[in-house]
Amino acid sequence: MRVGFLGSGSWGMALVKLLIDNEHDVLLWSIEEDVLDHLEKEKRHPKFEKAVFNDRLSVTRNIYDVLDCEVIVECVTAKGLRPVLSMLLKKGKLKVPFILSSKGIEIDSGKILSEVAEELLGGDAMMGYISGPTLADEVLSNHPTSAVAGSKERDVQKLTRDLFEGENFRITGCYDFHGVALGGAMKNVIAIAAGMATGLGYGFNTKAMLLTKGLEELKKMAVIKGCREETMNTLSGIGDLIVTGVTPLSRNYRFGKNLGEGLSAEQAKAEIGMVVEGEYTVRAAYELMKGSSIVLPITDSVYKVLNKGALPKEAIRTILQYKAVV
């Protein structure tokens, strides 16, 4: 197939590599002019040199070129999804399937990214979502990996498998489109807390506590957003939560670790050098919590570290002391 691709971050380029390995032709658009130049000249991304692309990858600086493709895949920032989709829709209603892979919750609306896409594209649009424990570096290194294809339509689940599935990258289907999107968004908030614990010098007991309580938090947010709690028990929920909450390959985990070591949020972000989606998502998740009767202690604590001057050590202690009724 001819695939239009939006975005050029690490996860995006891992997906592009999967597409090319499956002999699909990819037309990539990005706002990063230097990346497009490098891809054109070297067939490599300037930040991810281990990923080598071939002539099946071409680039464009005109976003409307992707409308001529058979399917569009997006991998922009959570904050960028609405403006990018709005730009595409200036040419009229989208006529091809649209696959999301970004993870987050929109701050102003409190909508999961799948809900943002549904609002803009319409409920009858062919939409899918790919998510799961998929660290870009490991996908690029061809490590055995599984992900979830979330869509209300079986045909879109199959399309997602046809696009990305390979010998070492397997995909399972899920009809809970919004639930798949939610797990990928919320796990970033929990990963920041796990990183803070590491930065404070705490060990595996603390991280196990945070990930277990974090899974409960994903399920509570599923209730708030009207998704299936069971979806949080899948690769797009607990699977993504585990991998993001234990490894320095995760930007959100490293961001939290920097906070635990005493850096400010701005210093912590500067050290990462890339977008930290959990910092954006936690603000939206906090507002959703405040508008409900449900308590999310990890979300509340991380929000207060980033926005209210709370100390990471106080945050972990508050989470530890919170007792849910089970």
Side-chain angles (χ1 to χ4, degrees):
M1 298 184 74
R2 183 160 172 78
V3 182
F5 201 94
L6 306 172
S8 58
S10 57
W11 174 221
M13 298 317 296
L15 288 172
V16 168
K17 187 67 166 58
L18 291 172
L19 289 166
I20 289 173
D21 287 347
N22 284 343
E23 300 187 350
H24 300 293
D25 294 316
V26 179
L27 178 64
L28 185 142
W29 171 88
S30 171
I31 61 171
E32 297 181 292
E33 289 279 351
D34 58 326
V35 171
L36 296 181
D37 290 342
H38 200 81
L39 286 170
E40 275 185 320
K41 294 173 185 175
E42 307 293 337
K43 292 298 179 184
R44 293 175 184 264
H45 191 291
K47 291 182 180 176
F48 318 114
E49 289 291 329
K50 71 165 59 176
V52 181
F53 304 96
N54 58 31
D55 289 338
R56 287 193 178 275
L57 173 65
S58 57
V59 305
T60 181
R61 289 152 183 85
N62 182 356
I63 191 172
Y64 299 115
D65 288 342
V66 304
L67 294 174
D68 294 326
C69 296
E70 297 169 83
V71 58
I72 297 173
V73 180
E74 73 77 35
C75 197
V76 299
T77 63
K79 189 161 50 176
L81 179 63
R82 183 179 290 273
V84 166
L85 263 182
S86 298
M87 198 185 315
L88 277 181
L89 291 171
K90 288 180 180 178
K91 295 290 185 178
K93 188 170 182 177
L94 207 61
K95 298 177 182 177
V96 299
F98 188 80
I99 311 296
L100 296 106
S101 70
S102 301
K103 298 174 180 180
I105 304 174
E106 198 174 54
I107 291 176
D108 292 338
S109 68
K111 291 185 175 183
I112 319 162
L113 297 189
S114 56
E115 292 177 314
V116 174
E118 197 170 69
E119 173 199 334
L120 294 175
L121 298 179
D124 60 340
M126 291 185 69
M127 290 178 286
Y129 208 111
I130 183 167
S131 189
T134 51
L135 294 170
D137 190 68
E138 294 189 1
V139 173
L140 288 169
S141 298
N142 208 28
H143 292 193
T145 300
S146 288
V148 176
S151 179
K152 297 175 183 178
E153 300 180 55
R154 181 186 293 271
D155 287 347
V156 179
Q157 294 176 22
K158 182 181 182 304
L159 170 63
T160 306
R161 286 196 297 271
D162 291 343
L163 289 171
F164 298 107
E165 197 167 62
E167 184 179 358
N168 283 315
F169 192 88
R170 310 303 289 178
I171 296 175
T172 57
C174 178
Y175 287 100
D176 187 10
F177 177 49
H178 297 310
V180 170
L182 177 64
M186 281 300 296
K187 56 88 185 181
N188 286 332
V189 176
I190 312 304
I192 293 175
M196 287 195 304
T198 299
L200 288 164
Y202 300 146
F204 294 106
N205 289 352
T206 311
K207 281 194 277 289
M209 176 267 292
L210 289 168
L211 295 186
T212 303
K213 289 177 180 284
L215 177 59
E216 289 303 311
E217 209 142 305
L218 265 63
K219 292 180 178 180
K220 288 179 180 179
M221 184 59 84
V223 172
I224 293 173
K225 295 299 295 179
C227 304
R228 291 173 52 202
E229 290 182 67
E230 308 89 79
T231 305
M232 302 306 120
N233 291 331
T234 71
L235 287 164
S236 60
I238 189 173
D240 206 359
L241 174 65
I242 291 170
V243 78
T244 312
V246 301
T247 173
L249 290 174
S250 159
R251 282 174 280 176
N252 294 279
Y253 178 90
R254 294 203 313 272
F255 175 69
K257 182 173 181 289
N258 290 342
L259 293 171
E261 290 173 345
L263 298 186
S264 68
E266 289 305 314
Q267 291 169 331
K269 272 195 301 184
E271 186 141 320
I272 302 298
M274 291 183 282
V275 174
V276 179
E277 292 290 10
E279 187 210 15
Y280 178 84
T281 298
V282 72
R283 285 182 278 167
Y286 178 81
E287 292 302 326
L288 285 170
M289 178 193 74
K290 296 294 284 184
S292 76
S293 59
I294 295 175
V295 179
L296 305 175
I298 301 177
T299 297
D300 183 68
S301 297
V302 172
Y303 176 84
K304 287 174 178 174
V305 169
L306 295 177
N307 298 281
K308 299 291 184 180
L311 296 175
K313 192 168 187 177
E314 295 171 354
I316 301 300
R317 184 167 296 279
T318 298
I319 296 165
L320 175 67
Q321 292 175 345
Y322 178 78
K323 295 179 181 178
V325 177
V326 294

